[in-house]
């Protein structure tokens, strides 16, 4: 069995002085030190050859792996497996080839300074991710600790919160925690005017919405008003039933065929942080709308692709669940989906037209499952009175393979 050749050492703001004897020895015995400029500067006194991280970071990985067999030590911030380099490297190397010495994380330092129970706090790393990923976590009294790339990002988040109706949220900017440069300052999102913010920086948020803030519920069936669309939107009530039938369980992949506004894929991703979704949409003009919806609602990783099923399904990873919301009458679509779906996977299809409805009834007879007819009526004004206005009924077929 190959001995570990790669050491990952977590550093705090106290630098080398805060290391254990074993972590310090990993640096002293290394043939090569790798890390960001700030970390390499902390270890400059050891006089070792260095591999500085490039931008983007992914470009550095082949060079690091090329040193396999030598004694290499990677210097990281705090806990390398909490939004850190450790997770990236562990995805490319067997764990037996590395050994890790974590240090206290910035999240731990921040919670200690704030007096917050960390198990009740949402933690996010937004160094290179859109700040809209905050959106699903914003609710009254929510507490978040967010790692940022710089002070400008803190100002951007403050403006973002204010624009969403969370301007009264209390923000705490925490700089260089645990070291001689530590500084902590408080403000409100609507009144943010802090400058000269030094990295590494974390932002603590105590969310406080105003009366006009639009809150995202934690259940399926988000309000239709949260989505941009051209009419191609699975309406709220039908969407709630559809997500219930798809039954997202976490760490699963959904194919959303006929993605339209992206609503089904978005709510699938919101159900669990480990979920993935690939949306297939035949109309090119709808792709950006779906992407914009995903970004605005905090799941920018929704994978929207232009194409027509079943041809567009070739080469996609095996799905755990498939939703067919459009194109159900395309020749060969159901056969292709059924063949691709993993054993135990779920297939849900919605029909509006009589032609697709007839097809779903035939598939129900062939494969079993559940067949529903869903009708929704909403109160609406008719002249000076109120009456029920019916939406087009939906026939839904759901089945486990």
């Amino acid at each position: 069995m190959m001995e570990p050749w790669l050491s990952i050492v977590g550093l705090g703001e106290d630098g080398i002085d805060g290391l254990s004897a074993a972590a310090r020895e990993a640096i002293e015995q290394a043939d090569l030190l790798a890390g960001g400029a700030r970390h390499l500067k902390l270890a400059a006194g050891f006089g070792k050859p260095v591999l500085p991280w490039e931008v983007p970071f992914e470009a550095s990985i082949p060079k690091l792996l090329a040193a396999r067999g030598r004694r290499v030590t990677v210097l990281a911030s705090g806990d390398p497996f909490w939004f850190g380099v450790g997770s990236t490297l562990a995805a490319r190397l067997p764990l037996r080839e590395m050994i890790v010495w974590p240090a206290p994380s910035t999240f731990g330092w921040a919670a200690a300074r704030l007096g917050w129970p960390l198990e009740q706090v949402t933690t996010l790393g937004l160094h290179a991710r859109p700040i809209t990923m905050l959106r699903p976590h914003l609710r009254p009294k929510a507490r978040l600790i967010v790692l940022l790339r710089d002070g400008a990002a803190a100002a951007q988040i403050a403006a973002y919160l204010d624009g969403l109706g969370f301007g009264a949220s209390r923000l705490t900017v925490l700089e260089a925690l645990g070291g001689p440069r530590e500084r902590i300052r408080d403000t409100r999102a609507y009144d943010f005017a802090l400058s000269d913010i030094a990295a590494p920086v974390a932002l603590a948020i105590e969310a406080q919405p105003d009366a006009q803030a639009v809150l995202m519920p934690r259940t399926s069936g988000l309000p239709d008003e949260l989505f941009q669309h051209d009419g191609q939107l699975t309406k709220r009530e039908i969407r709630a039933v559809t997500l219930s039938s798809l039954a997202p369980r976490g760490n699963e992949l959904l194919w959303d065929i006929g993605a339209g506004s992206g609503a089904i894929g978005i709510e699938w991703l919101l159900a669990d942080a480990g979920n993935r979704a690939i949306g297939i949409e035949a109309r090119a003009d709808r792709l950006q709308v779906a992407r914009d919806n995903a970004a605005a609602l905090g799941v920018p990783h929704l994978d929207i692709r232009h194409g027509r099923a079943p041809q567009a399904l070739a080469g996609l990873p095996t799905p755990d669940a498939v939703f067919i919301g459009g194109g159900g009458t395309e020749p060969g679509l159901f056969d292709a989906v059924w063949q691709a779906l993993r054993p135990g996977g779920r297939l849900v299809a919605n029909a509006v037209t009589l032609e697709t409805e007839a097809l779903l009834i035939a598939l129900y007879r062939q494969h079993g499952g559940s067949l529903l007819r869903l009708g929704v009526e909403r109160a609406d004004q008719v002249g000076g009175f109120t009456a029920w206005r019916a939406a087009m009924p939906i026939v839904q077929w759901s089945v486990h393979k």
Side-chain angles (χ1 to χ4, degrees):
M1 180 180 294
M2 185 176 186
E3 292 294 322
W5 60 274
L6 181 67
S7 297
I8 305 178
V9 174
L11 288 171
E13 282 299 298
D14 51 357
I16 303 300
D17 293 339
L19 294 179
S20 67
R24 187 182 182 97
E25 184 179 1
I27 297 175
E28 292 173 342
Q29 295 184 354
D31 299 320
L32 177 68
L33 296 180
R38 182 170 62 89
H39 298 130
L40 293 175
K41 183 178 180 180
L42 291 173
F46 290 93
K48 301 287 185 177
V50 298
L51 173 62
W53 296 144
E54 300 180 29
V55 179
F57 168 68
E58 292 290 331
S60 305
I61 293 179
K63 297 179 180 179
L64 181 71
L65 297 181
R68 181 189 255 115
R70 302 170 64 190
R71 291 176 297 185
V72 180
T73 295
V74 169
L75 304 178
S77 293
D79 186 341
F81 281 89
W82 206 342
F83 296 109
V85 68
S87 303
T88 303
L89 297 179
R92 292 164 170 81
L93 283 172
L95 194 58
R96 65 179 180 274
E97 294 189 25
M98 65 175 68
I99 187 166
V100 183
W101 286 274
S105 69
T106 299
F107 298 117
W109 279 110
R113 294 293 186 262
L114 297 163
W116 290 1
L118 194 52
E119 72 275 9
Q120 298 176 17
V121 175
T122 298
T123 58
L124 295 172
L126 299 184
H127 296 93
R129 297 180 179 181
I131 63 174
T132 56
M133 293 190 75
L134 291 168
R135 187 71 175 92
H137 307 287
L138 297 176
R139 57 189 184 278
K141 300 181 181 179
R143 287 176 167 179
L144 299 88
I145 300 175
V146 185
L147 304 185
L148 304 177
R149 65 180 182 275
D150 53 29
Q156 291 167 5
I157 287 176
Y160 175 69
L161 293 173
D162 194 25
L164 289 176
F166 282 81
S169 299
R170 180 174 294 280
L171 306 183
T172 303
V173 177
L174 306 111
E175 305 165 59
L177 293 176
R181 300 185 299 121
E182 180 177 304
R183 181 168 58 170
I184 300 173
R185 292 178 285 175
D186 292 312
T187 184
R188 297 281 181 177
Y190 63 70
D191 199 31
F192 192 95
L194 301 180
S195 60
D196 189 30
I197 299 174
V201 57
L203 182 69
I205 303 170
E206 291 183 273
Q208 183 174 331
D210 60 32
Q212 286 71 46
V214 178
L215 304 179
M216 285 178 59
R218 307 287 280 184
T219 57
S220 297
L222 295 180
D224 295 344
E225 294 76 21
L226 290 178
F227 298 94
Q228 302 177 48
H229 62 91
D230 59 1
Q232 185 67 15
L233 173 71
T234 303
K235 297 300 188 291
R236 179 179 188 173
E237 298 83 0
I238 303 301
R239 197 176 340 114
V241 175
T242 299
L243 265 294
S244 177
S245 299
L246 286 168
R249 300 167 181 169
N251 298 309
E252 292 186 315
L253 171 64
L254 171 74
W255 288 359
D256 180 7
I257 299 173
S261 65
I264 293 293
I266 288 168
E267 294 215 36
W268 171 273
L269 294 175
L270 287 171
D272 187 86
N275 279 348
R276 296 172 294 144
I278 298 174
I280 305 298
E281 175 52 52
R283 283 184 49 173
D285 58 323
R286 288 176 174 157
L287 300 180
Q288 193 56 48
V289 171
R291 292 180 181 127
D292 290 345
N293 282 331
L297 296 174
V299 286
H301 50 294
L302 175 64
D303 185 354
I304 293 289
R305 306 188 185 193
H306 182 219
R308 186 177 296 277
Q311 295 81 6
L313 306 179
L316 296 184
T318 301
D320 300 284
V322 178
F323 172 61
I324 301 176
T329 57
E330 288 290 326
L333 174 58
F334 282 99
D335 288 341
V337 167
W338 192 254
Q339 184 176 358
L341 190 64
R342 69 162 180 81
R346 289 92 67 201
L347 170 60
V348 177
N350 288 354
V352 176
T353 66
L354 293 176
E355 290 78 7
T356 309
E357 179 179 332
L359 178 59
L360 295 188
I361 292 171
L363 290 166
Y364 168 70
R365 289 172 177 165
Q366 179 181 357
H367 296 286
S370 175
L371 199 62
L372 301 174
R373 190 167 191 266
L374 305 170
V376 175
E377 298 182 9
R378 295 180 178 179
D380 199 2
Q381 295 299 307
V382 178
F385 299 91
T386 304
W388 294 110
R389 191 178 299 277
M392 294 181 68
I394 300 289
V395 171
Q396 182 180 101
W397 175 53
S398 60
V399 63
H400 286 213
K401 182 175 177 180

